[in-house]
Amino acid sequence: MELRVLRYFLAVAQEKNITHAAEKLLVSQPTLSKQLSDLEAELGTKLFIRGHKEITLTSEGDYLRSRAEEIIDLTDKTFTNIQTDQVISGELTLGAGESIGMKRIINVISGITQDYPDVKIHLVSGNADEMESMLNRGTLDFAVLMGERPLENYHYLKIPEMDQWGILMLKDNLLAQKETINPTDLIDKPLLLSAQALQNHRFQDWWGNLGPQMNIIGTFTLVYNAELLVEKNGSYMITFNHLINNSPTQNLIFRPLAPNLFEPITVIWKKNTVQSKVNQLFIQRLKASLDN
């Protein structure tokens, strides 16, 4: 399977029309049609459903599209990162969830882009499982993980900041008058939880035998979207501190859990991988920020 053919395949998947894709690729329509037929023959499966006006992907075609995008992206990135010798340029791709620790990391990245304008940065959002999976596939250079996770398969740096769990609620809520929130305060309250935290039973020890009395009405992956729901229906979101805008016009307020609950923040990258110059620079500067 050649990269050129994968690029042809992606062009047709995007255009949904062989004629338009051929024009975009600057190849003839018969040539493109034959390349696609040869690809289907090579893989032993049908990739397209050829309609009268539009081509759509089969389930196998849709799977190949997602993997082909990763392969092409990784290839292009590798090519870019080895083009230069002395000048630091290329691309740095970092995946992370929402966390106070990102401030330090963004400061490091910002300094690199100011000193080396040819460096391109790609930030990807997601939970720890998604970020670790993308790192292992090679589509991320670094992943930022919140919480305790096995790290023996990675190089890593733990940063000094920690994320604190608490409750996000409306400012005029009675619970907002308290300095901290304990498990009994949340009995029968409509709760929104991080999907990953719920899956990992993160609060099982914290609320103990009161777990059956917790009214979990939904989960979220992005804090901003869940904030809108809290503001709209008066629910309670268990989330990290420092993730909301504390301006005077903000209708929400954060109160930490009691007993306190914190998560460590770790930057990880793959072992046995030759890092590009820009990746090496990121590691050096992140280490330097910890020393300072």
Side-chain angles (χ1 to χ4, degrees), residues 7-281:
R7 294 184 191 275
Y8 287 177
F9 167 78
L10 288 176
V12 174
Q14 180 179 9
E15 297 295 329
K16 299 182 180 180
N17 183 285
I18 288 184
T19 301
H20 295 163
E23 292 173 352
K24 179 179 180 180
L25 294 167
L26 302 178
V27 299
S28 69
Q29 182 176 334
T31 297
L32 182 56
S33 295
K34 184 178 186 307
Q35 293 286 352
L36 296 178
S37 296
D38 289 347
L39 179 61
E40 288 180 318
E42 180 183 356
L43 296 175
T45 189
K46 191 172 182 179
L47 301 173
F48 298 99
I49 299 173
R50 293 163 173 82
H52 177 61
K53 293 184 177 181
E54 187 175 273
I55 289 179
T56 57
L57 295 177
T58 63
S59 57
E60 292 81 5
D62 193 53
Y63 173 76
L64 178 61
R65 179 194 55 75
S66 65
R67 300 316 299 264
E69 287 174 346
E70 292 181 355
I71 292 169
I72 295 299
D73 180 66
L74 183 59
T75 302
D76 290 344
K77 180 179 177 181
T78 302
F79 179 78
T80 300
N81 285 342
I82 64 175
Q83 278 185 312
T84 56
D85 182 22
Q86 299 301 324
V87 178
I88 292 181
S89 62
E91 301 181 357
L92 187 154
T93 305
L94 182 142
E98 297 165 298
S99 166
I100 182 65
M102 286 303 295
K103 290 185 177 181
R104 173 185 295 271
I105 293 164
I106 292 300
N107 285 340
V108 172
I109 290 175
S110 177
I112 291 174
T113 58
Q114 290 177 34
D115 293 339
Y116 303 96
D118 290 334
V119 171
K120 306 301 180 188
I121 305 298
H122 304 286
L123 301 177
V124 181
S125 297
N127 64 38
D129 291 335
E130 294 168 337
M131 297 301 96
E132 197 168 341
S133 177
M134 292 180 68
L135 182 71
N136 292 333
R137 294 201 305 267
T139 53
L140 290 181
D141 298 314
F142 302 94
V144 185
L145 307 181
M146 280 65 76
E148 297 289 352
R149 295 178 70 89
L151 299 172
E152 60 270 13
N153 294 328
Y154 305 102
H155 293 298
Y156 63 89
L157 287 172
K158 285 188 175 292
I159 66 175
E161 293 80 10
M162 300 187 75
D163 287 306
Q164 182 176 23
W165 288 104
I167 301 296
L168 191 67
M169 69 190 102
L170 290 169
K171 282 184 176 179
D172 59 5
N173 193 294
L174 289 177
L175 283 185
Q177 299 175 14
K178 302 190 62 174
E179 292 298 318
T180 59
I181 305 298
N182 61 58
T184 57
D185 294 325
L186 300 179
I187 292 176
D188 294 329
K189 298 291 192 302
L191 296 178
L192 294 169
L193 266 66
S194 154
Q196 183 173 313
L198 181 63
Q199 180 182 355
N200 295 339
H201 308 288
R202 183 63 184 91
F203 304 105
Q204 186 170 326
D205 291 338
W206 183 75
W207 53 45
N209 57 13
L210 295 179
Q213 300 182 63
M214 297 298 162
N215 177 24
I216 301 172
I217 64 169
T219 63
F220 62 89
T221 55
L222 292 176
V223 169
Y224 177 77
N225 291 336
E227 283 181 23
L228 299 178
L229 189 57
V230 172
E231 195 163 10
K232 186 69 175 180
N233 70 1
S235 52
Y236 301 75
M237 178 167 61
I238 304 183
T239 185
F240 292 149
N241 198 5
H242 304 296
L243 298 185
I244 65 168
N245 177 15
N246 292 315
S247 68
T249 58
Q250 176 62 256
N251 295 323
L252 305 178
I253 195 168
F254 178 90
R255 290 291 180 260
L257 300 182
N260 288 332
L261 205 57
F262 292 93
E263 299 288 4
I265 305 168
T266 311
V267 181
I268 67 172
W269 61 98
K270 291 176 68 174
K271 289 183 175 180
N272 305 317
T273 299
V274 178
Q275 298 292 342
S276 68
K277 290 182 179 179
V278 65
N279 289 354
Q280 294 177 38
L281 181 63

